[in-house]
Amino acid sequence: GGPASLSRFRGALVGAVLGDCLGGDFEGAEDVPLDRVLQHLQDDTRGDGTLQYSDDTAMLRCVAQSLLNRAGFDEQDMARRFAKEYSLAPGRGYGAGVIQVLKKLASPQLSDVYQPARAQFGGRGSFGNGGAMRAAPFALAFKNPAEVKRCSRLGATLTHSCAIGYNGAVLQALAVHLSLQGVLATPQEFINKLISEMEEVENDETARSDARALNESEFPFCTRLHKVKEMVERNSVSIEEVISELGNGIAALHSVPTAIFCVMHCLEPREGLPEQYGGFERTIAYSLALGGDTDTIACMAGAIAGAHYGVDSVPQTWQRCCEGAVEADSLAEHLHNMYHRTPSDG
Ligand code: F2R
Ligand code: MG
Ligand code: MG
């Protein structure tokens, strides 16, 4: 489909959910042989919806439902949905720290919904990738990139007050936004635009001081994106290099640029991946083969790749076995309607 087509919207949300469900089995694994990944992806004996989604999808659904229900960003509504979702299904594999925030957000006495996140980790806030893993719907709700940035940042700040946590969400939302517009067809333009957007986003005193406090470079996401650009240009990169240069962990800084690399690296056929695989399948298989935070890296890469290739590139067999794929498809359709109803500055 063309820019912002229904197929791209559906691909983005279905892709995110599939990445989460298919990646769940490998989360935390150190060495993931590609054979095991391919076997897992080719297993067609699974029943409908048997691969369950985790916190990534649970929170992404809350974001999409809140944006739709409120026709925009409403922090009180989104916070309430996160808290309710957690109280109804606490066993979805949430991060150890964020659970405290979700419990506090359930209190009817709470007036400042951003306060529990600010109290995390001795007041430093979380740098985990929990804000980024659920950021895709912001790109589907707003046309204007300034609104995508503003609302993805606020939505992440409900749980992640460290700049590296919420700026990871801004980067993921921008990547989905550009992919939805078809910019990934020109990979150089895609990465250059991400770098220039993040130069603006990270040019901020709080972002600088949060980076300094964590001994990171001044523009940490820009630094990583330059690495992504350099590694994409190198044609041959080993999995070990990707892990050591970009990371595969639970921190936003060690996973959002990695997910972007997975998508860009898999734009072309790759040795070891089946020839019959299209780009979406290659992206998911490659994300899983990195090990580490596989559900989340595949969820973020799946959203960017799904927005690029569209829903028809997502195998039906994969969609059938993943819990929540049908609901994601329907949420994407509603977001598509809302997006095309808003004026171009909205
Ligand atoms: N939690 C997991 N996986 C762990 C195992 C789950 C288990 N298998 C199960 O089934 O129960 N996955 C999910 O968590 C990640 C998203 O985490 P989020 O939402 O960012 O949570 P949190 O707690 O805020 O941060 C995660 C951890 O990062 C460290 N951390 C963050 N900020 C820190 C800081 N300022 N100082 C020190 N450490 C900090 C902590 O260890 C946090 O617990 C996704 O992978 C999702 O799939
Ligand atoms: Mg998870
Ligand atoms: Mg994870």
Side-chain angles (χ1 to χ4, degrees):
S5 66
L6 177 59
S7 175
R8 289 180 187 267
F9 272 66
R10 295 172 63 202
L13 290 202
V14 172
V17 173
L18 261 59
D20 178 19
C21 292
L22 290 162
D25 274 13
F26 301 99
E27 195 187 22
E30 246 175 56
D31 287 306
V32 183
L34 196 53
D35 283 1
R36 255 190 73 207
V37 169
L38 298 180
Q39 220 172 26
H40 177 61
L41 295 176
Q42 274 147 27
D43 181 357
D44 52 12
T45 62
R46 286 185 283 246
D48 287 0
T50 48
L51 286 181
Q52 292 187 347
Y53 65 74
S54 76
D55 56 332
D56 305 47
T57 298
M59 297 193 91
L60 179 138
R61 283 163 59 125
C62 293
V63 171
Q65 283 158 352
S66 179
L67 292 170
L68 281 166
N69 207 270
R70 306 299 302 150
F73 178 65
D74 175 337
E75 66 264 32
Q76 300 283 341
D77 182 78
M78 200 170 281
R80 244 193 323 271
R81 285 174 194 269
F82 289 156
K84 186 164 182 211
E85 170 60 38
Y86 174 71
S87 75
L88 292 173
R92 293 268 186 197
Y94 286 86
V98 78
I99 290 171
Q100 312 309 318
V101 179
L102 298 172
K103 287 180 179 164
K104 289 182 192 171
L105 288 177
S107 164
Q109 276 87 48
L110 187 73
S111 55
D112 178 2
V113 287
Y114 295 106
Q115 192 282 325
R118 283 198 296 270
Q120 289 294 93
F121 299 101
R124 295 186 307 275
S126 173
F127 55 63
N129 55 19
M133 72 190 182
R134 60 178 195 251
F138 290 104
L140 275 55
F142 303 104
K143 274 186 186 151
N144 182 343
E147 279 297 276
V148 173
K149 286 189 276 186
R150 187 181 74 84
C151 297
S152 58
R153 171 182 166 151
L154 288 172
T157 309
L158 288 168
T159 49
H160 292 67
S161 73
C162 171
I164 293 189
Y166 62 70
N167 280 341
V170 174
L171 173 57
Q172 168 66 8
L174 282 170
V176 176
H177 167 79
L178 292 178
S179 183
L180 211 57
Q181 311 305 319
V183 180
L184 250 177
T186 322
Q188 282 276 353
E189 187 188 342
F190 177 78
I191 192 74
N192 288 339
K193 278 195 167 168
L194 282 180
I195 292 171
S196 65
E197 287 282 4
M198 290 309 288
E199 274 167 355
E200 223 177 274
V201 168
E202 293 193 296
N203 189 14
D204 165 90
E205 197 32 58
T206 309
R208 284 163 189 249
S209 84
D210 284 4
R212 265 195 306 272
L214 292 166
N215 282 329
E216 293 292 346
S217 60
E218 268 219 318
F219 285 70
F221 283 104
C222 291
T223 306
R224 298 258 160 174
L225 288 171
H226 279 290
K227 269 191 197 166
V228 169
K229 184 175 172 177
E230 185 260 310
M231 288 168 81
V232 168
E233 281 163 5
R234 250 195 280 158
N235 218 9
S236 159
V237 183
S238 71
I239 291 226
E240 292 72 25
E241 280 174 285
V242 179
I243 297 170
S244 75
E245 302 257 327
L246 300 175
N248 64 353
I250 210 162
L253 191 58
H254 303 155
S255 51
V256 186
T258 311
I260 292 168
F261 174 78
C262 290
V263 179
M264 297 190 75
H265 182 70
C266 293
L267 288 168
E268 304 288 332
R270 291 290 163 193
E271 205 186 312
L273 294 176
E275 274 176 28
Q276 73 274 17
Y277 268 17
F280 179 83
E281 291 147 293
R282 287 196 294 270
T283 304
I284 296 293
Y286 189 81
S287 306
L288 270 46
L290 293 181
D293 196 359
T294 47
D295 66 333
T296 305
I297 292 174
C299 173
M300 297 188 291
I304 304 165
H308 176 60
Y309 299 106
V311 75
D312 296 333
S313 69
V314 182
Q316 284 293 336
T317 48
W318 291 10
Q319 294 190 47
R320 258 198 307 277
C321 68
C322 293
E323 180 194 17
V326 174
E327 291 83 352
D329 204 348
S330 153
L331 286 169
E333 199 175 330
H334 289 300
L335 283 165
H336 180 259
N337 292 341
M338 185 170 101
Y339 181 100
H340 286 287
R341 272 201 311 268
T342 48
S344 47
D345 59 346

